[in-house]
Amino acid sequence: MGDDTRLVLAGRNTAETHGFVNVPPFRGSTVVYPDAESCLAGRNRFTYGRRGNPTMEALQLAWSELEGAAGTVICPSGASACSTALLSCLKTGDHLLMVDSTYRPTRALCNGLLARYGVETTYYDPMIGAGIEALIRPNTRAIYMESPGSQTFEVQDVPSIVAVAKKHGITTLIDNTWATALLFKPLDFGIDISINAATKYPSGHSDVLIGLVAANEKALPALQATHGDLGLYLGPDDVFLTLRGLRTMPLRLREQGANALAVARHLDQHPRIRRVLHPALPSCPGHEFFKRDFKGASSLFAIVLDATSDAQVIAFLDHLKLFGMGYSWGGFESLAVPFDCTAYRSATSFNLGGRAIRLNIGLETPADLIADLDAALAAMPKA
Ligand SMILES: Cc1ncc(COP(=O)(O)O)c(C=O)c1O
């Protein structure tokens, strides 16, 4: 079955929803038992609102099918999905290998809460591949990947890293938000835990915060236990909206991915652009792994402007008419935000060679976006 068919069917059973196509938002804390015997035996399919309801179950089933996972937990944000996943496989005294290009709040988690609880983190070069073996210590328990990397888009050599991890019995995790399991299936590559900030593509409309963590048989029990211990829960309306978004995610990803590539290729030839960081372009670090392992590209990439000052960046951004300025992505609308990755990296330096902007390309007509970007680049003063 193709993933498009899977996402139309998964998690729906019209015999249970009186013929209605969708599972509605189930709102509730208390679930009553039909009699004392089933209460004593805990025999209800659902036991308590936080532990699950039919709306949550539908999303969990659909996501697990797409990921090829043993199970999925729903978290109240992408950031909480990252922290829940990490907490599920680490304890005091453990050592974590974290990719240097990771999403910044994940870095803050490692340097803050995990460090306070006695977990030591070593950051590694996203391009390290099999060389990661040299960083492994007797107490290394987890290797965390994010591919492509946040902001800089390096694509990691996942199979080489997973092979090293398996040799040493180390749990592997990946933040797979950029690709989703439509474009890269982490568990098929032997990764144990796949994290997705479903705030982005699965919900897809910039109106929900949600995180999904899918795991294989080995990692699932600890993941579910940690999720329960933390008492995590997300309201049924947000779960419902994510299920609704999931049905059209393949279409949106294909369209936005194609639009993004058209914009990226245009900007790659533009005299006021010094560099385009897009996994599908040969100049992107790890492009060979992208070609080998991914089914396609999504809508997020970065550009380096022919600019070195705030005034130039401001002139460019303020001239854009079709791009919102906002710190998210994966929604249907185009966005542009400035960033400086040199401010926080510790294991590697990434000299951008100019001022950088991250672009999320939406469902607008690509020619309109290109014209808008060209006009803003023309309005950007020369150095
Ligand atoms: C790669 C990545 N992971 C995780 C997150 C966190 O998601 P949320 O904003 O839903 O907490 C984000 C958000 O921007 C992200 O870009």
Side-chain angles (χ1 to χ4, degrees):
M1 191 187 283
D3 279 340
D4 291 25
T5 313
R6 208 188 296 280
L7 283 182
V8 166
L9 298 176
R12 294 197 300 117
N13 179 359
T14 47
E16 287 193 0
T17 48
H18 309 282
F20 283 90
V21 169
N22 293 294
V23 183
F26 271 78
R27 184 172 292 288
S29 54
T30 310
V31 186
V32 293
Y33 291 81
D35 50 55
E37 201 196 333
S38 45
C39 184
L40 278 172
R43 215 181 287 132
N44 263 13
R45 180 158 149 219
F46 299 103
T47 56
Y48 182 60
R50 174 160 46 71
R51 290 287 183 184
N53 61 43
T55 324
M56 288 163 71
E57 185 186 67
L59 178 59
Q60 287 168 309
L61 284 173
W63 193 254
S64 295
E65 267 199 47
L66 180 66
E67 293 265 12
T72 296
V73 297
I74 301 173
C75 298
S77 69
S80 72
C82 299
S83 53
T84 305
L86 278 164
L87 288 168
S88 77
C89 55
L90 292 166
K91 62 179 184 325
T92 301
D94 286 349
H95 176 236
L96 163 69
L97 288 171
M98 170 60 65
V99 66
D100 204 26
S101 53
T102 196
Y103 175 59
R104 217 169 158 179
T106 306
R107 178 181 285 272
L109 169 77
C110 296
N111 298 348
L113 187 134
L114 290 183
R116 279 206 311 283
Y117 283 82
V119 174
E120 193 183 343
T121 301
T122 300
Y123 293 94
Y124 67 86
D125 182 344
M127 304 318 299
I128 200 167
I132 200 157
E133 190 154 25
L135 300 179
I136 290 174
R137 303 179 192 168
N139 61 339
T140 306
R141 291 284 170 270
I143 300 178
Y144 189 104
M145 295 163 264
E146 187 179 323
S147 179
S150 264
Q151 301 190 328
T152 42
F153 297 92
E154 300 96 323
V155 182
Q156 296 191 247
D157 184 358
V158 169
S160 297
I161 294 175
V162 169
V164 170
K166 283 199 185 303
K167 187 173 146 197
H168 292 268
I170 295 170
T171 301
T172 45
L173 310 89
I174 191 166
D175 183 332
N176 195 42
T177 302
W178 186 87
T180 79
L182 281 174
L183 303 179
F184 178 83
K185 287 201 193 294
L187 275 65
D188 285 359
F189 283 78
I191 294 174
D192 298 305
I193 300 179
S194 170
I195 301 161
N196 199 287
T199 304
K200 319 299 178 194
Y201 296 116
S203 63
H205 293 73
S206 305
D207 50 9
V208 171
L209 281 152
I210 176 170
L212 297 170
V213 190
N216 61 16
E217 296 278 0
K218 190 182 92 186
L220 187 64
L223 177 69
Q224 287 174 329
T226 304
H227 182 270
D229 289 346
L230 292 170
L232 301 178
Y233 175 75
L234 183 70
D237 294 329
D238 289 344
V239 175
F240 174 84
L241 285 173
T242 305
L243 255 178
R244 183 155 85 164
L246 208 53
R247 307 296 178 200
T248 58
M249 184 172 76
L251 285 177
R252 287 183 285 103
L253 258 187
R254 276 200 289 277
E255 193 72 8
Q256 289 183 238
N259 290 357
L261 200 51
V263 173
R265 289 202 170 113
H266 173 82
L267 294 176
D268 203 29
Q269 303 301 317
H270 198 288
R272 300 299 316 274
I273 298 291
R274 291 194 183 155
R275 193 166 174 187
V276 176
L277 300 164
H278 186 302
L281 297 185
S283 56
C284 186
H287 171 68
E288 65 273 29
F289 308 130
F290 173 79
K291 274 201 305 194
R292 185 188 64 191
D293 300 339
F294 285 66
K295 295 202 189 95
S298 66
S299 66
L300 191 77
F301 66 98
I303 52 175
V304 180
L305 300 172
D306 173 30
T308 49
S309 72
D310 278 353
Q312 288 170 294
V313 172
I314 289 167
F316 170 76
L317 286 173
D318 279 347
H319 206 87
L320 290 170
K321 305 255 178 311
L322 298 178
F323 289 77
M325 256 174 280
Y327 284 98
S328 194
W329 51 283
F332 60 85
E333 82 290 15
S334 288
L335 297 168
V337 278
F339 69 89
D340 175 16
C341 67
T342 58
Y344 54 85
R345 284 212 178 198
S346 56
T348 49
S349 56
F350 197 98
N351 186 3
L352 291 165
R355 299 292 292 269
I357 308 284
R358 193 181 72 178
L359 298 177
N360 177 59
I361 301 300
L363 291 169
E364 303 89 344
T365 307
D368 293 340
L369 297 174
I370 287 172
D372 197 33
L373 288 159
D374 281 353
L377 287 168
M380 185 173 78
K382 293 242 160 56

